[in-house]
Each structure stands twice: as C-alpha cells, then as structure tokens.
Amino acid sequence: MGCIMDELLKIVSRINGCLSDYVLIVLLVGSGIFFSIRTRFVQIRCFGEGMRRAFGNFSLHRRVGKQGLSPFQALATAVAAQVGTGNIVGASGAILIGGPGAIFWMWLVAFFGMATIYAEAVLAQNTHVADESGQYHGGPVYYIKRAFPNWFGSLLAVWFAVAIIVSLGFMGCMVQANSIGETCANAFGIPTWIVGLIIAAVAAVIFLGGISRIAGVAEKLVPTMALIYLAGGALVLIARIEYLPQTFGLIFKYAFQPEALLGGSWGYAIKVAVSQGVKRGLFSNEAGMGSTPHAHAAAKVAKPHDQGVVAMIGVFIDTAVVLTMTALIVISTIYTGDGPLAGANGGNYAELLAAGNLSKTNLVQQAVASVSTVSVGNIFVAVCLLFFAFSTILSWNYFGKINFHYLFGKRASVLYSITASLFVLAGTLIKNDLAWELQDMFNQLMVLPNVMALIALSGIVAASAKRNKLQ
C-alpha cells in the first residue's frame, strides 16, 4: 500500500509541476493583464472607491441581513480565505527558493490580479440567485452556465464543483488543520489530537450555522488576526529599522539580478525568481481561482460594480499588507545585518541555507526569535497560524458547500458539514504529503473552467467598469 501511495504522490507532484510552472502562470497572469486592459485599469481608477465601499460603514456588530451580506461582511469572508498559511509558509518558501526578488513579482501579479478578481465579483453578482430565505448565493458554476449554456457548460460547471469540494471543502480544510495542530504542539506542547477535537467541534458548530454564522465570525476574526500579525511584525521591524532600506533594496535588486544570489545563468535564476513569485502570489490572493466569488455573490449591493471594487481590496490586503509584512520580517532579519543569509551570493547560498537549517516552515519563527527568543517566535507563529488557518477553514467550507448544494441540493447540507468536520479532525491526526499535493492539484484544476468563463463573459465586465469610469 505504501508503494502505491508513493507512486501516486510522484504522479500528482509531476502534474502539479506542469500546471503551476506553465499552464496556470500563463492563464492567470494573462487574464490579469487582459482584464486590466478591458476595464481600463479599474484597480487604479476605482481603488479609492473600493476602500470607501469596504470600510465606509465598518462595524463589528452588524447583523447579517435577510437579503444578503454587507460589502464588508462579504469582503471579510473572502479575505478569511485569502489570508491563510500561504501568507507565512508560502511567502517564506518563495523567498528561500527564488530569493527576496520573488516578492517584487508577487506584488506585480497582485496588481493585475485585482482586475481579475473584479471580474469574478462582477460576474458572481450578475448571476447570483436568492434562496427561499432571501439569502443570495452564487459563484463560478452559475456564471460558467451563463457563459456556455449547453452541455459543455454543464460539464465545466460539474468539473469546477467537484474540484472545489475536494480541494477546499475537504482536503483544504484538512491541511489547514494540520498546520494548526503542528504549530500548537510545538509552541504549547498540546497533543495534536486534542487540538483536532477542539478545532473540529468549533468548526462544526459554525459550519451548521451557514453563511450567516460564518460571515459573523469572519468579520470579527479577520480584523483581529490582521492586527495581531501586523502588530507583532511591526515590533520586529522596529528592532531592525536600520536594515529596512537595505531590505527594500534587496527586493528590487534580486528581482532583476537573481543570479547574484541564486547562482547559475541569468536566464535560469530569473525563471526561478519569477516563477516562485508568480506561483505563490497567485495562490495567496486567489485571484482567478474561482473561490472568493462565492463570498462576493452573497453581498447585497446596488450594482455588481460596487462589490467588484470591494473585491479588489481583498487582494490588496492579502498581498500588499499581510504578505508584505512577512517578506519584510524575513528579509530584514535573515538577509541583512547579522542574519544567517546576509551577504550570501550564488557561490555559497545553498551552503548557507543548509547550514542554517532554514525552511519555509520555520523561517518566520527564526526571524521573530532573532529579535526575541525561540519560545516567543514559536508562540507568535502558532497564534497567527491558528487565526489564519481557522478563518480559511471557515470560508473554504462555505465555498465548498455552495457547490455541494449545486450538485446534491440543500438537503445534503448536514452530511457535507459533518464530513468536512471529520476531515478537519483527520488533518491534525495524520501527516500526509499526498493530501497536500492532491489539494494543490484540485486547487489548480478549478482555475481552468473559471478562467474560460471569465474570458467568455468579459464583455459584461468591461461594460460594468465602463459605466463607472468617471467614479
């Protein structure tokens, strides 16, 4: 059995490599550029409007209305999914493999991704439907059917629904719970099975409450987790403030001269830096994946454009704020001054990495520990990952549920919620690289039908942006 699992892991890993290194980079970056042009760079023109609509009536005590979420509640639910372990582990991995310059490419892909996510939210609003209770729900399966109103559209919709249920609803929640269990065990000495029981029980209560309960928790959890992470990160940056100019300098230098750090030819080094920045950036902000449109479809707004500009702010928060904080923490402590990789170059970079026992999973811990203590670093990362991963579990569960309803009807809600809770528990009990790889594969398979529908319906998106070009 073990041999079969190992072989399956190799096959899935190869599929993921092909998808992430070539197909998805072209699709997602290409769609971002395409929608930036078609919307006349809505991410620039309407950024201020998006901030006003997202935070203009901000409140932590707003109740979910009978006819939909507020724009902020929808944004909080989307950001809960976007800001996850990838903002710590994913960003750290991109920096280690692609160098500090990978962050520049993350910024660039987020800029174009804001136009893509505008398109997703506009189409989700255009095609959402109300259920018997008056709540709106929608997502890619609905606008895929609009784009292709025949058997081909039905096939793509089922393809997307199955992929997101497996990827986010089940395996995604499992791997997020795995991160919570491991970090809590390392920081506090709590057995992972106890952590699993607690997380699964709390999650089950929230799952069964539907979007009203998930949105209510998300709008309180997201600001709290952001403040904790940004406050802790700010303390690290204050301690390393003299190195901040050098930190930004390294990001821009190694974005265009990565061979000076990674070694090898310029062509090889730039491919590594760009691919790491693009891959990690795309799957951090989730623009083009088809996940966050489910949250934005549930918002009650006057016109689709209103939620489209709010959706853009989610990408900004994810990348420009949270992910950038991770980058600054890591680079200012690891790559500058007395950091273990300070002064590294192509000749000794790999040797220094190995000697320092640095990995994507412990990089932020070591960065925080360098200005405090090892225990403080472990606790800080454990608390942040608890917030990040748990909020992602909640939103991903909701996204999967919408598609489960599409396939099997609302009467299957309880079955779905119980199954998802069991996957959460299982995630803290086992460590299975195959589960992570399968989650990545289905995650990537979501992109294909979603982007096809976005391009097919781009005229609706362009018209929505054009009507509001003077705002």
Side-chain angles (χ1 to χ4, degrees), residues 83-432:
V83 178
T85 56
N87 291 77
I88 295 179
V89 178
S92 297
I95 294 170
L96 280 180
I97 298 172
I103 299 304
F104 172 84
W105 301 108
M106 284 186 172
W107 291 339
L108 188 64
V109 79
F111 172 76
F112 289 115
M114 290 171 72
T116 303
I117 213 162
Y118 171 85
E120 290 181 295
V122 165
L123 293 178
Q125 279 283 319
N126 263 287
T127 56
H128 68 186
V129 296
D131 60 20
E132 62 276 6
S133 65
Q135 290 287 345
Y136 292 121
H137 58 88
V141 290
Y142 294 92
Y143 58 71
I144 288 172
K145 292 293 294 293
R146 171 78 66 86
F148 309 105
N150 49 33
W151 68 267
F152 183 63
S154 298
L155 177 63
L156 290 180
V158 171
W159 173 351
F160 179 89
V162 171
I164 194 171
I165 291 167
V166 174
S167 176
L168 304 188
F170 296 153
M171 289 191 176
C173 292
M174 183 168 69
V175 297
Q176 294 289 332
N178 181 269
S179 297
I180 296 175
E182 286 192 2
T183 54
C184 287
N186 292 335
F188 308 112
I190 305 173
T192 57
W193 67 270
I194 293 179
V195 176
L197 285 174
I198 296 172
I199 295 297
V202 175
V205 172
I206 299 174
F207 291 167
L208 292 169
I211 183 57
S212 299
R213 192 169 297 168
I214 290 174
V217 172
E219 71 172 337
K220 297 173 179 61
L221 193 59
V222 167
T224 301
M225 73 183 190
L227 288 174
I228 291 175
Y229 190 63
L230 296 178
L235 293 177
V236 175
L237 297 184
I238 290 172
R240 303 288 291 184
I241 193 167
E242 62 182 298
Y243 299 108
L244 285 183
Q246 183 184 357
T247 296
F248 282 99
L250 292 176
I251 291 174
F252 288 100
K253 173 185 177 180
Y254 290 129
F256 301 99
Q257 301 176 27
E259 77 282 2
L261 177 71
L262 304 179
S265 66
W266 181 86
Y268 167 79
I270 196 71
K271 176 183 179 297
V272 173
V274 173
S275 65
Q276 285 298 311
V278 171
K279 282 194 299 185
R280 302 300 181 185
L282 288 171
F283 289 105
S284 173
N285 61 56
E286 300 189 18
M289 280 176 51
S291 53
T292 58
H294 300 90
H296 296 299
K300 182 182 180 182
V301 291
K303 55 187 182 298
H305 168 84
D306 296 349
Q307 194 60 30
V309 296
V310 171
M312 298 189 310
I313 305 306
V315 174
F316 178 81
I317 292 171
D318 172 84
T319 302
V321 179
V322 180
L323 190 144
T324 296
M325 177 60 78
T326 298
L328 297 181
I329 292 171
V330 167
I331 298 171
S332 67
T333 56
I334 304 296
Y335 288 83
T336 66
D338 55 353
L341 297 180
N345 54 55
N348 64 6
Y349 184 64
E351 296 175 7
L352 289 174
L353 275 179
N357 294 317
L358 299 173
S359 70
K360 64 182 181 180
T361 56
N362 70 8
L363 205 58
V364 174
Q365 290 172 319
Q366 293 207 25
V368 175
S370 69
V371 299
S372 56
T373 64
V374 173
S375 61
V376 169
N378 288 340
I379 292 172
F380 175 72
V381 172
V383 171
C384 291
L385 275 178
L386 173 62
F387 278 104
F388 286 5
F390 186 70
S391 67
T392 300
I393 287 172
L394 298 184
S395 291
W396 280 1
N397 172 269
Y398 171 64
F399 301 162
K401 180 181 286 186
I402 292 294
N403 291 274
F404 203 82
H405 288 172
Y406 174 80
L407 294 177
F408 304 109
K410 291 196 69 174
R411 287 182 292 181
S413 289
V414 174
L415 172 63
Y416 171 83
S417 296
I418 293 173
T419 303
S421 300
L422 292 176
F423 270 92
V424 171
L425 176 60
T428 61
L429 299 178
I430 62 174
K431 184 175 182 179
N432 190 340

